[in-house]
Amino acid sequence: MTGAGSILAINLVVAGLLAASFVMIAIFDRMRTAPRWLAFCYALGMSSYAVEALVPLTVDSRYIVTLSFGLVLAAMVAFNVGVARKYAVSAPWWLMAAVFLLSILAVFLSQDLPRHSFERMMIYQAPYSIMQAIAVGLILSPPKRRMIDWAFTVLLCLSSLHFLAKPFIAHALGGWGTNPQAYLQTSYAMISMGLGTIFGIGVALMTLVVLVHGLLLDLTMKSETDTLSGLLNRRGFEQRAARALSGAAGQRMPVSLVIADLDHFKSINDNYGHAMGDRVIAAFAGFLRNVADDHHVAGRIGGEEFAIILPGANLAAARLFAEGARGAFAAISIDGFPKDRRFTASFGVAELAQGENISELLVRADAALYAAKDEGRDCVRIARPSRIRPSLRSAS
């Protein structure tokens, strides 16, 4: 077996392993279709390698070369659909269909061109580059991207460019064989397949990392999210709030905490049932999400108790926020209850003091909340300033 033939066999096995890996992810995460498309992509890749291995055995290779090319391009289409599903954007079906059909026709007709013509080689490689560039566009479509998405983008850009470089490499090495049957015997075949293997495995592994990273983020989010309200649970809230406090301290900006508790919640459960009580909790959580900004941290930290961190807000601004929320919530109606039935909440507000942590801030805001309850409910009370002295805290 030639060196190129060995690489072809390795590619076949690797494509099978990658297809199996994406199948396993698809089984684990049945709610998302991205892993299924990616598994289909590498299954098509296996088929293309198997067909390519048959080229030396054929007399008229026009059809089998076109078939091998088409399978690889179809695999790249499936890859792009998987990427689109992962990043929750629309797959450009019409664009990919046009590139696919025109490329199949062009490659079939290009078999009549001289074997070593630059145009023929570019016709064969350019569609791969275009398909990879489409994947780059899909990743760049969402407004927000993480560092891992930028790394994925850079790798796909390099992969796209390497396809365009292949005709120049072939020209420098004297072409890709006197005929298709001799292709696997050429130095270009070994270099081309080697580059393809490097970029193919690199892209596949990065795709796996992106998918697994997304799964871990989802699992973390689920473990930190309260099912009923859709807000952070107490564990998630305290972790996110601690990070928000640290960030605010680093930027020397004020940060405040608002705690809210639904008034007379026990009577709601007693008079209307727990299902209706859950509806009130869900309604207040939805209301809190609507009034909160993107940089705020909101959570359900108890049965009917909620908290929200306001980075950049001092005590006066936080109190205004709480008063506005109190008045607005008291004015809304909740489905399933009498139209004239209104619900209220009590609020406690505290501003972070120097040297204070999230637990201590929660204690002070909670004390203000109890003061609001004791003074008749449906009101806002502010916490007393912290008596913690920074020098003593640092010594402890």
Side-chain angles (χ1 to χ4, degrees):
M1 182 180 292
T2 63
S6 299
I7 294 176
L8 188 64
I10 292 171
N11 287 343
L12 180 64
V13 174
V14 170
L17 292 174
L18 290 169
S21 299
F22 286 111
V23 167
M24 294 303 295
I25 295 177
I27 293 173
F28 178 79
D29 186 16
R30 300 190 180 188
M31 297 298 293
R32 291 174 175 80
T33 58
R36 302 176 205 171
W37 279 100
L38 293 167
F40 181 50
C41 159
Y42 287 97
L44 286 173
M46 287 180 64
S47 302
S48 71
Y49 291 130
V51 169
E52 189 170 349
L54 298 176
V55 171
L57 305 178
T58 59
V59 177
D60 183 2
S61 60
R62 175 189 298 264
Y63 294 99
I64 200 162
V65 166
T66 305
L67 175 61
S68 175
F69 170 85
L71 287 171
V72 175
L73 205 59
M76 298 181 85
V77 170
F79 178 85
N80 288 348
V81 177
V83 170
R85 295 290 188 270
K86 169 64 182 73
Y87 289 93
V89 296
S90 298
W93 287 104
W94 287 107
L95 174 61
M96 292 192 297
V99 172
F100 181 84
L101 294 175
L102 291 174
S103 299
I104 293 291
L105 179 61
V107 167
F108 183 79
L109 296 177
S110 71
Q111 305 296 305
D112 294 326
L113 294 174
R115 173 73 179 169
H116 296 299
S117 69
F118 183 85
E119 293 80 5
R120 176 172 174 171
M121 295 179 185
M122 188 59 73
I123 287 172
Y124 195 89
Q125 297 295 337
Y128 296 153
S129 179
I130 294 171
M131 283 296 183
Q132 207 87 97
I134 291 174
V136 171
L138 292 171
I139 299 174
L140 296 178
S141 295
K144 294 183 179 180
R145 286 169 292 279
R146 298 183 176 88
M147 186 63 68
I148 192 173
D149 301 322
W150 286 113
F152 196 18
T153 300
V154 170
L155 181 58
L156 286 172
C157 285
L158 293 174
S159 179
S160 176
L161 291 174
H162 110 273
F163 287 114
L164 295 180
K166 283 187 175 183
F168 296 95
I169 296 173
H171 181 73
L173 295 177
W176 49 3
T178 55
N179 54 54
Q181 292 77 9
Y183 167 68
L184 292 179
Q185 310 294 326
T186 64
S187 298
Y188 167 74
M190 188 169 181
I191 292 176
S192 175
M193 289 184 181
L195 286 174
T197 300
I198 292 170
F199 281 105
I201 293 177
V203 168
L205 292 178
M206 181 59 77
T207 307
L208 280 170
V209 169
V210 168
L211 286 182
V212 173
H213 181 263
L215 284 174
L216 291 176
L217 287 179
D218 289 344
L219 290 173
T220 301
M221 181 62 71
K222 288 177 181 178
S223 71
E224 295 180 347
T225 302
D226 174 64
T227 307
L228 175 59
S229 67
L231 300 175
L232 294 169
N233 56 27
R234 187 175 188 104
R235 172 177 171 271
F237 173 79
E238 290 186 353
Q239 290 182 349
R240 302 284 183 89
R243 291 199 290 268
L245 265 57
S246 177
Q251 299 179 40
R252 297 179 179 271
M253 67 168 59
V255 58
S256 296
L257 169 66
V258 176
I259 291 184
D261 191 90
L262 299 174
D263 294 331
H264 306 293
F265 188 73
K266 185 177 183 303
S267 67
I268 297 173
N269 281 333
D270 292 342
N271 295 328
Y272 296 98
H274 288 278
M276 297 302 287
D278 288 348
R279 186 170 293 187
V280 176
I281 288 175
F284 186 79
F287 165 79
L288 203 59
R289 278 194 298 271
N290 289 334
V291 299
D293 291 333
D294 291 340
H295 63 286
H296 294 163
V297 180
R300 180 187 177 200
I301 60 174
E304 63 272 13
E305 192 172 357
F306 299 81
I308 181 168
I309 287 286
L310 307 175
N314 58 19
L315 190 62
R319 182 172 187 173
L320 286 175
F321 174 90
E323 287 286 5
R326 182 196 62 79
F329 180 68
I332 68 173
S333 60
I334 298 176
D335 292 341
F337 289 93
K339 291 186 177 181
D340 59 346
R341 181 69 166 89
R342 293 295 183 267
F343 303 90
T344 62
S346 300
F347 293 78
V349 182
E351 182 179 354
L352 181 70
Q354 186 178 1
E356 197 172 33
N357 60 34
I358 182 60
S359 298
E360 293 157 343
L361 183 61
L362 279 166
V363 169
R364 289 199 300 115
D366 207 40
L369 173 63
Y370 276 102
K373 291 286 189 181
D374 291 340
E375 295 175 27
R377 296 182 170 86
D378 189 23
C379 62
V380 177
R381 292 295 179 264
I382 60 174
R384 295 178 180 178
S386 173
R387 295 182 179 180
I388 299 173
R389 290 185 296 175
S391 60
L392 292 180
R393 282 192 54 78
S394 61
S396 61

